[in-house]
Amino acid sequence: MKINFSAIFILGSFLVSCSNETNPNNSDLKTHKDNVQGFWNRIGTIQLVNGIAVDTLLIKNSENPDFKQIKAFKDDNTIWINNYKDSLSPWKGGSGGYGKFKIHSKDSITEMISHGTGFWGAMVKNYKDSLNTQNWKFGLTTDFNKNRYTQKNNPDSQFMEYWEKLPPLEPKSRIDGAWKRVYEIAYINGIPVDTISVSSDIILDVKIISNGRYTYQVDLTGNSEENTPQYGGFGGFGTCKFDGENNTFTEWGEWGSGQWTGTSEPKTDPDVHQLTIYNDDLFLQVSKSSVGVLANKGATGRGVVYKRIK
């Protein structure tokens, strides 16, 4: 059965509901919370009739088999990202979101989305500004079963999202977690020459690293004009490896959102960063790049200071 999977995704993104809080056993809830942590890959959509599942529509069998959507849960932070190309927008690439989440029970999660990229980043910004609020709350009905789960975005929804957990690629590392860019440093010939603080009100750059995978969102709606490519920000997903002996962190980007429309095969385009780890909650990442807020200033290297989000 062929479907326009992207249309169903976009429809589901607008449906907001209230969470169903319950009071499960604390031990069972802790185990469930541990199982939720990590990266999830959306594999399809389940169609409902009167609340009963009647058909499973897999992405690989849809009209858009190359559609991808990833979600990460880590330490009360969540990022999701998709590669749905938006030809009508100035930024052309996919969408993504970042926020906090709270697990109430095995069948109930509330996501508090505060930032995003692409079409979704613009929607979140408009929602927050119009209601003078800090985030957009989504009460999700979930059903977790080992390494798969379903997510219904509204009690009356006719569809559920269908997700599968991605297995770990690497052991847990010291830098696994959720991080926010707080400073950026420009280097010329290996020497730091300029440092700028990165305010979350202007640019929010967040990253989740977990067991050999990473995803990030850079929300630029705070310093860009609407209807410009920059307003869509940019995000990315890929694999990574931390070398604790040499203090290097290698990322292999695969695809992204917002302004990022390119793709790479897994493990084909390494970006190697040198790390200085100050403590468990703060590290400096230096790469041979001049992109970022200090771009076009003659820099030959870029340093980013990340602070752990708790």
Side-chain angles (χ1 to χ4, degrees), residues 163-184:
W163 297 81
E164 182 176 59
K165 194 168 190 179
L166 293 172
L169 297 177
E170 299 286 343
K172 181 180 179 181
S173 77
R174 186 177 180 183
I175 62 171
D176 277 20
W179 302 88
K180 178 176 68 173
R181 174 171 38 137
V182 291
Y183 293 101
E184 189 164 319

Side-chain angles (χ1 to χ4, degrees), residues 91 94 116-119 121 218 220-221 224 228-235 257-259:
W91 43 82
T117 56
F119 174 77
V218 182
L220 299 177
T221 57
S224 304
T228 64
Q230 292 75 22
Y231 200 72
F234 53 93
S257 65
Q259 299 175 68

Side-chain angles (χ1 to χ4, degrees), residues 5-291:
F5 187 85
S6 301
I8 290 177
F9 161 76
I10 294 172
L11 175 64
S13 296
F14 286 103
L15 302 177
V16 185
S17 66
C18 299
S19 61
N20 303 312
E21 295 198 32
T22 59
N23 295 303
N25 179 276
N26 287 338
S27 178
D28 290 345
L29 184 57
K30 183 181 183 306
T31 300
H32 174 58
K33 288 181 177 180
D34 291 341
N35 291 337
V36 169
Q37 303 289 311
F39 277 80
W40 296 81
N41 177 42
R42 187 171 176 185
I43 60 175
T45 296
I46 296 176
Q47 187 175 6
L48 306 173
V49 175
N50 297 324
I52 299 174
V54 297
D55 198 5
T56 298
L57 314 170
L58 298 179
I59 294 174
K60 64 181 182 180
N61 298 328
S62 73
E63 293 179 354
N64 307 285
D66 295 326
F67 176 82
K68 295 181 175 65
Q69 186 174 358
I70 295 291
K71 177 180 283 191
F73 294 104
K74 195 69 176 178
D75 303 333
D76 298 330
N77 298 271
T78 183
I79 290 176
W80 66 263
I81 182 174
N82 72 42
N83 70 340
Y84 175 65
K85 299 296 190 296
D86 187 357
S87 61
L88 299 179
S89 75
W91 43 82
K92 308 306 180 187
S95 293
Y98 162 76
K100 309 291 283 187
F101 75 95
K102 182 177 181 180
I103 298 175
H104 307 286
S105 66
K106 289 185 178 181
D107 59 8
S108 177
I109 294 177
T110 298
E111 294 180 356
M112 290 76 73
I113 303 300
S114 59
H115 295 81
T117 56
F119 174 77
W120 190 243
M123 287 292 299
V124 171
K125 178 70 161 63
N126 181 67
Y127 179 88
K128 291 193 303 179
D129 289 350
S130 62
L131 296 181
N132 192 27
T133 185
Q134 296 297 310
N135 55 56
W136 192 347
K137 292 184 180 179
F138 293 81
L140 310 176
T141 301
T142 57
D143 182 12
F144 284 82
N145 183 14
K146 294 184 179 180
N147 291 325
R148 294 190 176 185
Y149 91 92
T150 59
Q151 171 182 308
K152 186 165 67 169
N153 298 332
N154 183 284
D156 299 322
S157 176
Q158 297 180 359
F159 299 95
M160 293 190 298
E161 298 175 1
Y162 190 24
W163 297 81
E164 182 176 59
K165 194 168 190 179
L166 293 172
L169 297 177
E170 299 286 343
K172 181 180 179 181
S173 77
R174 186 177 180 183
I175 62 171
D176 277 20
W179 302 88
K180 178 176 68 173
R181 174 171 38 137
V182 291
Y183 293 101
E184 189 164 319
I185 305 170
Y187 288 80
I188 295 180
N189 299 324
I191 299 174
V193 295
D194 197 3
T195 301
I196 186 170
S197 174
V198 182
S199 171
S200 298
D201 294 334
I202 306 300
I203 298 175
L204 185 77
D205 179 355
V206 291
K207 176 184 289 188
I208 288 180
I209 303 168
S210 181
N211 295 108
R213 290 186 175 87
Y214 76 97
T215 186
Y216 68 90
Q217 295 282 283
V218 182
D219 186 324
L220 299 177
T221 57
N223 75 333
S224 304
E225 295 293 328
E226 292 186 57
N227 299 318
T228 64
Q230 292 75 22
Y231 200 72
F234 53 93
F237 165 77
T239 60
C240 57
K241 184 177 180 63
F242 171 65
D243 182 345
E245 183 176 348
N246 296 303
N247 276 336
T248 59
F249 180 57
T250 303
E251 298 174 324
W252 291 271
E254 296 182 18
W255 52 272
S257 65
Q259 299 175 68
W260 184 7
T261 59
T263 61
S264 296
E265 291 297 318
K267 302 284 188 180
T268 59
D269 189 16
D271 189 7
V272 182
H273 313 286
Q274 191 68 42
L275 300 190
T276 300
I277 300 179
Y278 300 115
N279 52 52
D280 289 340
D281 298 327
L282 199 70
F283 73 86
L284 167 66
Q285 167 183 300
V286 179
S287 60
K288 295 179 180 179
S289 170
S290 61
V291 300

